[in-house]
Amino acid sequence: MYDSDKRKLLSVLSHGAIFLSATVLSVGLPIAILFLSEDPVVKGNARESINFHLNIYLYGVVFGILTMILIGFPLLFLLLAAMWILPIMAIVKVLSDPTLIYRYPFIFRLV
């Protein structure tokens, strides 16, 4: 049996890492948790967080290019809102049910 408090902490750290910075550190923390944890739920949450980070970077590049034709500006605003709202939703869900592997909507699963 896995420790519920440790599971909550590591899952929240995985999903909340995006608030640390917009650099490699924000994706590095979930990668470290993925490799260091033995808990399958924590690994699943870390994997999902990595996918979310990679999708945010990919969408940011695409929407940044689209700013040249002005449609990118509202898309970047929506991306910024999603970058804040979706991880908060993930943290709340993971804290309310520590056995849950939160699945982000609207992302491609690469890892």
Side-chain angles (χ1 to χ4, degrees), residues 73-85:
F73 291 109
L75 293 173
L76 282 173
F77 177 75
L78 289 173
L79 182 66
L80 181 64
M83 196 171 93
W84 281 89
I85 294 168

Side-chain angles (χ1 to χ4, degrees), residues 34-62:
L34 177 67
F35 287 116
L36 295 176
S37 178
E38 298 294 325
D39 188 337
V41 173
V42 171
K43 283 181 170 283
N45 279 309
R47 195 172 289 113
E48 192 68 11
S49 177
I50 293 165
N51 281 319
F52 179 70
H53 284 83
L54 295 176
N55 274 262
I56 290 293
Y57 297 147
L58 179 68
Y59 288 141
V61 168
V62 171

Side-chain angles (χ1 to χ4, degrees), residues 56 64 68 101:
I56 290 293
M68 287 188 266
I101 297 174

